[in-house]
Each structure stands twice: as structure tokens, then as C-alpha cells.
Amino acid sequence: MLLATWNVNSIMARLPRLLEWLDATRPDVLCLQETKVADGAFPTAEVAALGYEVAANGSGRWNGVAILSRLGLEAVTAGFAGEPGFPEVEARAVSATCGRVRVWSIYVPNGRELEHPHYAYKLAWLAALRDALRSELGAGHQLAVCGDFNIAPSDEDVWDPAEFVGSTHVSVPERAALTELLDLGLTDVPPRALKGRPFSYWDYRAGMFHKGMGMRIDLVLLSRAPASRVTDAYIDREARKGTAPSDHAPVVVGFATES
DNA sequence: ATGCCCTTGTAACAAGGA
């Protein structure tokens, strides 16, 4: 299976770039975040023309996630049991079975600042996600949890750790929450960089991309069986170049599925 | 070259992103 995840920062604004990328890369499954579109307005026909079915969870202006699959979509679920809200539950998770693999597309809350209520929300959301994923693994699925985690797993995953002292995305509790997900039996698949370091996000401002000032916050977590069968993993930084890019680049992982 | 904020909703900004 060729599996990818991409925070597109509005699927409508990104549609030409998205269709071009899908046609060139042809992943079996693509997880999307920050689609910023209500389900009824999702460009279903445009992606169907390339052979993809859609499982979307979106409410409009903010957030929004989706899974595009050309291996079918079964047992589609929006959100998860016990998912916290801010204060209402937001469109941050969708899951579906694609072929033999249970796939999740998630958009973890940003957190904003360490003292902000959004930070507590982020940690609560991650704890509830852990419990939901524990149930999925208990059901014996091959599992892929993909998305924008808004956590840099280590200091190697930001361009300059000194710039992040006192900030979200690198704090001990956030990294501990990610470690709890990995402790369920998931592997953060290490991507190779096509150039520079394997970052997946660069701020639009101040030429950050061109200066190599990025972060790796978009992750693909695989359960043990698919993680042992990874054939390649990379970040497609070409998608961050050119006209009207997202501020995130796609992460692409190939692995052999169990027979 | 890779090139120096962007997106949506609502009405000139507000809010969020990380």
C-alpha cells in the first residue's frame, strides 16, 4: 500500500495542486487535514475522476479531515468515542478500513500557548485518542494513524530547539502524550528527506521554507505488522514549492500488506 | 533556484494557524 498524509490548508484553495499531486503520485490512500470544507461541499467528483472514494468529516471554516481511497472505504467513522470538544466536538478525526488496513486521518489541536485552555484541550484530546486507538489495536487491525499531530517528536524535528523554548509542539507533556500512542504498539515511520532535513511544515512567513526553517509534525504511525514491512518513506517537499502551496508537505509511506 | 503569510467568513477586518 502506498499511503500518504497531507495538511492541505483548505482543500478548495488547494484543489489544483491536490489533483496534480494525486495524478502524479497515485497513492492508494491519502489522509487530508485542514480541509476547511463542509461535507456537502467537498469536491467529491473531482477526486472521483482520479479513482478515489471519499470519507470526509468537515464542518466548514475550521479544521476538517478526510480519507481518499482507491481501495474502497468500509466502516467509516467520524470522530471517536470520548472525543473532547472546545467546547463542542470539532472535525478532527475520521477513520475507515481501506483494503486490509484500518486508517485514521487526524488533526490534533494546536494548543496555541502552554497556559492557554487550548493546550489542556490538546492533551485531553490526545489522551482520548490513545484510548480509542487501544480499542482499535485490541480488535487486531493493521492500523495506520496519519495526520498533523502538532507535535515535534524530538529536538531533531525542529530547525532550532532554542527557538522553541517555552512553546507548544515541543513540550514534555505533548511529547509524553505522543509516546503513550507509540507505547500502544505504533511506530513513527521515519521519512527520508529528499533534500535538507525531513521537515513537513514550514511557516509561510519570512521565507522559512527557503531557509530550511521547518518542523516535522505530520506523522504516519503504523502498527507492528505494517511497520515491519515498510519499503519507503519520504516527505515530498516539491509540493511545498511553486504557486499557491500548502504550508505543509505530504508524507508518503509504502509498505507491504499482510496476505 | 525553492523566493520572502495564508485562509475563510463577512464586509475592512477578525480569527486561527504553529
Side-chain angles (χ1 to χ4, degrees):
Chain A
M1 174 182 288
L2 190 64
L3 171 67
T5 185
W6 193 7
N7 178 325
V8 288
N9 185 20
S10 169
I11 193 171
M12 300 313 292
R14 216 64 56 215
L15 196 54
R17 294 291 301 255
L18 172 66
L19 296 175
E20 172 190 47
W21 187 86
L22 271 178
D23 198 35
T25 309
R26 304 299 297 168
D28 296 301
V29 177
L30 173 61
C31 296
L32 298 170
Q33 300 85 37
E34 287 206 83
T35 53
K36 297 185 175 178
V37 69
D39 292 343
F42 198 98
T44 306
E46 288 85 344
V47 297
L50 293 174
Y52 293 89
E53 293 181 82
V54 177
N57 177 17
S59 57
R61 184 177 189 180
W62 303 117
N63 314 305
V65 289
I67 300 171
L68 310 187
S69 172
R70 53 189 185 121
L71 303 178
L73 291 166
E74 297 180 4
V76 174
T77 305
F80 53 88
E83 183 177 4
F86 192 72
E88 306 302 321
V89 173
E90 301 176 309
R92 294 184 176 275
V94 64
S95 55
T97 303
C98 307
R100 299 173 179 276
V101 182
R102 187 74 186 156
V103 178
W104 285 57
S105 178
I106 64 166
Y107 177 48
V108 176
N110 174 289
R112 301 184 189 169
E113 298 170 2
L114 297 181
E115 307 304 321
H116 197 285
H118 210 262
Y119 180 78
Y121 167 49
K122 182 179 194 174
L123 296 179
W125 197 91
L126 286 163
L129 176 67
R130 173 202 61 207
D131 292 343
L133 294 179
R134 181 184 290 124
S135 297
E136 291 277 81
L137 287 160
H141 295 296
Q142 295 186 79
L143 184 63
V145 185
C146 312
D148 180 352
F149 284 72
N150 271 318
I151 301 169
S154 80
D155 281 353
E156 297 300 306
D157 297 309
V158 297
W159 80 89
D160 181 4
E163 293 282 336
F164 287 85
V165 174
S167 299
T168 60
H169 294 65
V170 300
S171 72
V172 170
E174 289 167 278
R175 286 176 171 168
L178 177 60
T179 298
E180 289 195 28
L181 300 183
L182 302 179
D183 285 347
L184 296 172
L186 297 170
T187 298
D188 169 19
V189 177
R192 63 191 172 92
L194 299 184
K195 180 185 175 185
R197 296 166 65 184
F199 296 142
S200 66
Y201 163 83
W202 301 260
D203 197 292
Y204 284 123
R205 289 167 285 193
M208 300 278 273
F209 176 65
H210 319 288
K211 297 172 184 170
M213 298 164 74
M215 308 170 72
R216 188 175 75 90
I217 55 177
D218 300 273
L219 311 178
V220 172
L221 309 187
L222 294 181
S223 60
R224 296 197 199 285
S228 71
R229 294 174 167 80
V230 170
T231 52
D232 192 15
Y234 66 94
I235 292 174
D236 190 356
R237 69 189 298 281
E238 295 298 316
R240 182 62 178 79
K241 301 178 183 177
T243 303
S246 171
D247 43 3
H248 295 250
V251 181
V252 184
V253 174
F255 59 93
T257 54
E258 285 184 297
S259 55

